[in-house]
């Protein structure tokens, strides 16, 4: 039986980095001591068994090995993995066995203080509820908010109560009374979407690079959402885009459309597999433009990404987005 397992987060907890592999469906994993492994991730299952292994197509002579993912694995599978016959990632307990080498959390480098905040226990639901209220152009009922964000109505009720004088409940739904203060509160607490980032370098203008990468990611069914500079340029033209940012739900190989991999500090375009599971949930809320050629991350995420940029005009561009969000909210 298949199941949802956040493979990227598990590998990150094991201190692995993830890069593009030889194709759009393969990953290059680098271990804490910088060993490299080319893998293609098999669909996650509850328990990896020998019977499952027999169903996985293995291409003899290919440098790309299937990575079998499961909540657990049988002893016989673990024996095969330790013998170097298969590669396995398990969640309970957390470990990955690649080419016969076992990696556990104890092998990972000590995490810096900021990295400790990247666990799955972050308040993604709470922050998304606040983001939902910021994006809505009319009051929303708690049931609507819960459905959009993917949380319980009880959680929505608690968050709205915690907002105190910033919000009020009316017969029409939850209404924001202090949109500027709510945006400032959310921005201070929200840590960003997090996740695994891949840097790319291209020679075309940034807007053109972003469109090209978006189109390629769409072809690969990676659910791309454009944020950062280019999203700001579409929503409130003010900032000169200096780097593209696209959220995707799986690694995408852009080498075939004019890009080369690059360190993040040198990249002209970044693709990001976000840790925040709500990134895709709120794109349809509010009276914001819809484009035929590109899909944008919601205005609040774009605001956060631009505000936390490092260009001389990032602050002013973020202020333009903030004005768009809060004016939309004003009574």
């Amino acid at each position: 039986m298949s199941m949802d397992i956040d493979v990227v987060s598990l590998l990150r907890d094991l201190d692995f980095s993830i890069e593009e592999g030889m194709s759009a469906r393969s990953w290059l994993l680098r271990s804490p001591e910088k060993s490299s492994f080319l893998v293609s991730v098999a669909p996650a299952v509850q328990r990896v068994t020998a019977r499952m292994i027999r169903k996985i197509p293995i291409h003899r002579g290919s440098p790309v090995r299937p990575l079998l993912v499961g909540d657990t694995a049988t002893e016989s599978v673990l024996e095969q993995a330790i013998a170097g016959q298969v590669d396995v990632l398990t969640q309970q307990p957390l470990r990955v066995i690649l080419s016969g080498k076992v990696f556990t959390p104890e092998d990972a480098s000590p995490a810096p203080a900021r990295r400790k905040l990247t666990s799955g226990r972050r308040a993604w639901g709470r922050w998304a509820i606040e983001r939902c209220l910021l994006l809505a152009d009319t009051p929303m009922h708690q049931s609507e908010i819960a459905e959009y964000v993917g949380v319980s109505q009880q959680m929505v009720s608690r968050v709205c109560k915690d907002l105190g004088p910033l919000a009020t409940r009316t017969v029409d739904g939850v209404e924001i009374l202090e949109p500027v203060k709510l945006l400032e509160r959310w921005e201070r607490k929200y840590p960003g979407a997090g996740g695994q980032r891949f840097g790319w370098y291209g020679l075309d203008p940034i807007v053109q690079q972003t469109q090209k990468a978006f189109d390629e990611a769409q072809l690969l069914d990676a659910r791309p959402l454009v944020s950062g500079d280019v999203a700001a340029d579409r929503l409130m033209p003010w900032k000169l885009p200096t780097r593209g940012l696209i959220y995707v739900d799986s690694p995408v190989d852009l080498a075939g459309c004019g890009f080369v991999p690059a360190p993040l500090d040198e990249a002209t375009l970044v693709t990001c597999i976000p840790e925040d599971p709500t990134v895709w949930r709120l794109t349809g809320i509010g009276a914001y433009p819809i484009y035929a050629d590109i899909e944008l991350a919601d205005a609040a995420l774009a605001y956060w990404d631009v505000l936390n940029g490092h260009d001389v005009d990032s602050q002013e561009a973020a202020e333009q987005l903030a004005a768009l969000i809060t004016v939309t909210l004003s009574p």
Side-chain angles (χ1 to χ4, degrees):
M1 181 178 67
S2 62
M3 65 179 301
D4 292 329
I5 293 180
D6 190 341
V7 176
V8 171
S9 292
L10 294 183
L11 289 169
R12 186 168 58 248
D13 288 342
L14 291 166
D15 210 17
F16 273 72
S17 65
I18 307 172
E19 301 173 18
E20 299 292 343
M22 300 176 65
S23 69
R25 298 303 178 190
S26 66
W27 295 359
L28 176 63
L29 307 182
R30 296 193 189 277
S31 67
E33 75 274 12
K34 305 307 179 186
S35 297
S36 299
F37 305 90
L38 275 169
V39 301
S40 59
V41 181
V45 296
Q46 184 73 40
R47 187 170 179 82
V48 183
T49 64
R51 182 179 180 182
M52 172 189 168
I53 292 175
R54 290 193 290 270
K55 295 181 179 180
I56 298 293
I58 299 177
H59 303 289
R60 302 295 177 187
S62 171
V64 181
R65 290 163 55 108
L67 177 61
L68 311 176
V69 180
D71 190 51
T72 62
T74 64
E75 287 300 322
S76 63
V77 167
L78 296 176
E79 290 174 1
Q80 291 184 59
I82 292 172
Q85 299 170 6
V86 295
D87 296 336
V88 178
L89 171 65
T90 63
Q91 186 168 242
Q92 302 292 339
L94 176 56
R95 67 188 157 196
V96 64
I97 307 175
L98 299 165
S99 299
K101 183 169 178 55
V102 181
F103 298 90
T104 65
E106 289 72 27
D107 301 318
S109 302
R114 184 172 176 82
R115 186 167 182 251
K116 289 181 181 179
L117 295 175
T118 62
S119 73
R121 292 185 295 275
R122 305 186 93 170
W124 300 122
R126 167 180 290 275
W127 294 321
I129 291 168
E130 294 180 0
R131 199 167 96 240
C132 182
L133 293 170
L134 284 167
L135 294 167
D137 56 332
T138 59
M140 293 182 67
H141 291 289
Q142 290 181 176
S143 58
E144 296 178 281
I145 299 170
E147 184 174 355
Y148 268 109
V149 177
V151 297
S152 67
Q153 290 191 47
Q154 291 81 359
M155 183 176 184
V156 175
S157 178
R158 288 197 303 271
V159 171
C160 292
K161 183 178 180 181
D162 289 344
L163 292 179
L166 300 183
T168 186
R169 292 181 178 87
T170 71
V171 293
D172 296 319
V174 181
E175 182 178 337
I176 300 304
L177 301 177
E178 298 279 357
V180 174
K181 290 183 179 179
L182 177 57
L183 181 61
E184 291 173 350
R185 168 195 169 113
W186 173 79
E187 185 277 322
R188 284 196 309 270
K189 295 186 176 182
Y190 185 64
Q196 186 72 37
R197 293 180 175 242
F198 304 89
W200 298 92
Y201 184 84
L203 298 175
D204 294 327
I206 299 301
V207 173
Q208 186 176 336
Q209 286 188 39
T210 303
Q211 183 70 62
K212 187 184 297 184
F214 175 88
D215 293 342
E216 183 70 12
Q218 264 199 327
L219 289 174
L220 297 172
D221 296 323
R223 301 172 66 201
L225 290 177
V226 173
S227 189
D229 292 5
V230 177
D233 186 54
R234 285 291 183 103
L235 291 169
M236 290 290 282
W238 183 274
K239 188 182 190 308
L240 178 66
T242 59
R243 175 185 286 190
L245 171 61
I246 302 179
Y247 291 118
V248 290
D249 67 358
S250 61
V252 292
D253 184 0
L254 300 179
C257 55
F259 293 90
V260 294
L264 289 174
D265 59 353
E266 299 175 10
T268 56
L269 181 128
V270 173
T271 57
C272 173
I273 304 174
E275 185 181 359
D276 184 347
T278 71
V279 164
W280 281 269
R281 299 198 69 100
L282 305 181
T283 55
I285 294 184
Y288 296 96
I290 298 175
Y291 301 95
D293 60 336
I294 204 167
E295 186 171 3
L296 303 183
D298 64 65
L301 284 178
Y303 162 77
W304 195 96
D305 287 327
V306 171
L307 182 64
N308 287 272
H310 302 292
D311 297 329
V312 293
D313 57 351
S314 293
Q315 179 71 38
E316 291 181 348
E319 290 173 359
Q320 297 298 313
L321 285 175
L324 173 67
I325 295 167
T326 55
V327 166
T328 300
L329 276 169
S330 298

